[in-house]
Amino acid sequence: MVSMISYGGMTIEIKFISQHFTKKIPLINDPIIRAGVPDCWGTHGIKPFSSPITPPTNAGVLVPEPSLANPAPPPQLTPTPPSSSTFTLSFKLPDSRPPSPTSSIFSSTSQDTMTTSSSMPGSARPHPADVAERDYFSENPPPATLATHTSLAQAFIDMHAAAGRRVVLVTSGGTTVPLERQTVRFIDNFSAGTRGATSAEYFLEAGYAVIFLHRQFSLQPYSRHYSHATDCVLDFLHEGPDGSVLANEECREKMVTVLRRYRSARARNLLLTLPFTTITDYLFVLRAIAQLMRPLGPRGLLYLAAAVSDFFVPPERMQEHKIQSTNATDANTPEIRGSEERGEGEEEEAFDNFDSSPSVPRSKRLIVDLDPVPKFLKNLVDGWAPEGMIVSFKLETDPSILVRKAKYSLDRYQHHLVIGNLLATRKWEVVFVAPGSKDRWIRVPRSKRKRTISGVEDLVGAAARGGEIGDEPLDPTELPDGEPELEIESLIIPAVEALHTAHIHAPRKREV
């Protein structure tokens, strides 16, 4: 927050930053200002400094904090020539909420020291993404599981880094936006976690160690084959003559294959699963793990397939308890009881709630005011995991803007690959958008597709202008009913692995 006040014909800029505020004051030929003690400060409990301060010409001055315990007499003032330089004074303000030790943006040292103005030589103005990151992680509380997740991830990464193995962080599932601190109501992003869970399996088959950061209760590698199936998993089992549990004959081969792969990944400690729920949980853990992956260098891969909320409710606007739909809890208060007796319980103005009947009083509406989630994911490249390869996804419903939005994300966040997909065709095709490369569509081959809705095999992929190698999105009306026989992730992951190999062997600038 920035405030401007006037003093003696000049302007003083006051910047409030977390627990500090900073004053920028022009150093002019004014004895009070030159001493660093505006007389108006006395009304706010700020005492004069113990020694005079004579600012040099065209330079900034660091003004020490005054001693409140032993105030000194007013300083002797010495006239100096006018100067247009500025100085900055920073000191603490009381804060009712102590900073989180995990998310604090200031160290204990920086909180007790003063800094010169950014206008001084050699200082740089912070990047907007850095400011957004700092503010978000200082103003939102970290999840209770952060320390545990970080400890598990650290041990997992250290083990595989020592073995020289590639490690991929796969994010999966949707994030929630709580509307209350004790959450009953929330806004959810649509995602069962199919893309992430399926991709994790193919990364494991390719030899990667996988950290699977997933929405709690969403699909997970291997168990996905049965946990969200149309039929209950118990329908695949039966009881043997001796009371043992056996898989049905028709599904036994697949179940044994899935079980063996899962047991192998667990036995070799190649799979670490970590759950999240809210958007804040996700961002805290993502940042922590990305920073832990820095020692992996280019062998680290971040595959961001989670459906992340674009909006959230800041904690200062979040209600503590469940949002009430009626004022029944206030019925016993004298004010409410008296107004009801006088017939003043309802507002006169009402609205028709999208032409529904009966009309709904304005007092019963719930209006949710959301802020955009800060766009600081570019910091994945710049600071969190600067040498790792970063793959993100862009989901759209309008085919005419898919590639354009994917390229916009690529330019904005500087990731190494953006995979675009449409909601209606996401299991049939994706498009790879990478810097310096032609857009590349990856599609399920015709031989692995089922019959079209129309029953005409030649129409499968006709809208793609050449099937698998077309440059336009598929027409969803010409796709077969149901899901493809081949999982498209079996095509995506080998292509990503090839790009990751090129990333590992690419020449890099040496630090001087």
Side-chain angles (χ1 to χ4, degrees):
M1 181 177 69
V2 178
S3 298
M4 307 295 294
I5 64 174
S6 296
Y7 173 76
M10 63 182 177
T11 300
I12 300 177
E13 177 185 14
I14 304 177
K15 291 186 177 181
F16 291 85
I17 306 175
S18 184
Q19 292 183 317
H20 293 58
F21 76 72
T22 301
K23 287 181 179 288
K24 286 186 175 181
I25 308 174
L27 299 180
I28 64 173
N29 193 15
D30 185 315
I32 296 179
I33 298 300
R34 284 204 317 276
V37 191
D39 53 5
C40 62
W41 289 9
T43 60
H44 298 284
I46 306 297
K47 304 299 182 181
F49 298 135
S50 58
S51 60
I53 299 175
T54 304
T57 303
N58 298 325
V61 175
L62 289 179
V63 182
E65 291 188 37
S67 173
L68 300 181
N70 299 303
Q76 299 296 323
L77 305 176
T78 304
T80 58
S83 171
S84 60
S85 301
T86 63
F87 71 92
T88 300
L89 172 65
S90 299
F91 56 95
K92 289 183 180 179
L93 288 177
D95 191 343
S96 59
R97 183 187 67 183
S100 165
T102 305
S103 61
S104 177
I105 60 173
F106 295 110
S107 66
S108 58
T109 302
S110 66
Q111 287 182 338
D112 295 328
T113 58
M114 292 169 290
T115 58
T116 58
S117 169
S118 61
S119 62
M120 293 186 62
S123 63
R125 180 172 297 179
H127 191 278
D130 296 330
V131 175
E133 176 188 350
R134 179 194 67 190
D135 292 346
Y136 184 87
F137 288 109
S138 64
E139 294 170 1
N140 290 274
T145 57
L146 181 61
T148 301
H149 285 3
T150 302
S151 177
L152 292 172
Q154 180 72 75
F156 186 85
I157 292 169
D158 289 347
M159 170 185 171
H160 295 293
R165 183 176 286 111
R166 299 183 187 185
V167 178
V168 58
L169 169 63
V170 176
T171 68
S172 180
T175 61
T176 68
V177 176
L179 301 183
E180 308 116 340
R181 289 191 177 92
Q182 298 189 42
T183 306
V184 174
R185 296 179 173 90
F186 57 88
I187 301 172
D188 202 355
N189 263 43
F190 162 74
S191 177
T194 305
R195 177 82 78 205
T198 308
S199 297
E201 286 187 25
Y202 288 104
F203 273 121
L204 288 165
E205 288 188 22
Y208 283 78
V210 176
I211 301 174
F212 188 65
L213 180 60
H214 66 97
R215 165 72 177 276
Q216 189 176 32
F217 306 126
S218 66
L219 292 175
Q220 295 192 45
Y222 304 112
S223 64
R224 70 181 177 91
H225 295 277
Y226 305 102
S227 59
H228 284 205
T230 304
D231 298 320
C232 174
V233 66
L234 298 178
D235 292 331
F236 298 102
L237 307 173
H238 69 274
E239 184 179 358
D242 58 351
S244 60
V245 177
L246 303 174
N248 297 340
E249 184 67 30
E250 64 275 12
C251 61
R252 187 173 302 168
E253 182 179 356
K254 179 181 178 181
M255 292 191 79
V256 168
T257 300
V258 171
L259 179 62
R260 286 174 179 170
R261 290 176 178 173
Y262 172 75
R263 291 297 183 189
S264 174
R266 286 298 193 187
R268 294 186 292 160
N269 195 27
L270 292 176
L271 176 62
L272 174 65
T273 59
L274 302 173
F276 67 83
T277 302
T278 70
I279 174 64
T280 302
D281 296 346
Y282 172 80
L283 291 175
F284 265 98
V285 179
L286 173 64
R287 183 179 69 159
I289 296 178
Q291 291 172 343
L292 291 176
M293 292 177 67
R294 294 185 68 173
L296 294 168
R299 295 195 313 278
L301 171 62
L302 286 85
Y303 185 86
L304 308 179
V308 182
S309 308
D310 290 320
F311 303 94
F312 79 114
V313 180
E316 66 271 13
R317 295 210 308 266
M318 196 178 296
Q319 188 162 310
E320 177 66 28
H321 298 288
K322 174 188 172 185
I323 299 172
Q324 299 297 314
S325 59
T326 68
N327 60 358
T329 57
D330 301 325
N332 292 326
T333 63
E335 295 82 359
I336 298 297
R337 188 167 57 248
S339 64
E340 289 178 347
E341 292 173 355
R342 295 189 300 271
E344 300 173 357
E346 298 288 350
E347 293 186 11
E348 293 183 3
E349 184 179 5
F351 82 114
D352 59 9
N353 197 28
F354 303 105
D355 298 326
S356 65
S357 180
S359 59
V360 179
R362 186 178 299 276
S363 61
K364 294 185 181 296
R365 287 188 295 173
L366 175 62
I367 300 175
V368 181
D369 185 12
L370 302 175
D371 281 5
V373 174
K375 303 297 184 181
F376 48 72
L377 287 185
K378 186 177 183 296
N379 289 12
L380 277 172
V381 178
D382 294 339
W384 299 0
E387 291 189 83
M389 179 176 173
I390 301 171
V391 179
S392 57
F393 281 79
K394 171 56 67 174
L395 175 69
E396 294 293 341
T397 58
D398 183 354
S400 66
I401 66 172
L402 174 63
V403 174
R404 185 168 73 251
K405 291 294 291 291
K407 289 182 177 180
Y408 175 80
S409 295
L410 188 73
D411 293 338
R412 182 170 188 176
Y413 302 121
Q414 298 295 301
H415 294 174
H416 301 90
L417 173 66
V418 174
I419 301 178
N421 53 163
L422 292 166
L423 181 64
T425 61
R426 66 191 185 281
K427 295 184 179 181
W428 301 89
E429 66 174 356
V430 297
V431 58
F432 278 26
V433 179
S437 301
K438 183 181 178 181
D439 303 339
R440 177 186 174 190
W441 288 88
I442 295 179
R443 296 187 172 96
V444 174
R446 291 191 181 200
S447 60
K448 298 297 182 181
R449 302 178 192 176
K450 299 177 182 178
R451 296 171 56 192
T452 63
I453 297 175
S454 62
V456 181
E457 181 65 26
D458 290 341
L459 290 180
V460 177
R465 298 181 184 175
E468 290 79 6
I469 60 173
D471 294 330
E472 297 292 333
L474 295 172
D475 183 349
T477 63
E478 299 299 341
L479 290 173
D481 192 13
E483 297 185 357
E485 295 179 357
L486 180 71
E487 292 176 323
I488 194 171
E489 289 79 11
S490 65
L491 306 175
I492 294 174
I493 302 309
V496 171
E497 181 188 6
L499 293 174
H500 190 203
T501 299
H503 175 79
I504 291 173
H505 297 297
R508 284 174 176 77
K509 295 180 180 179
R510 294 184 178 181
E511 295 184 1
V512 180

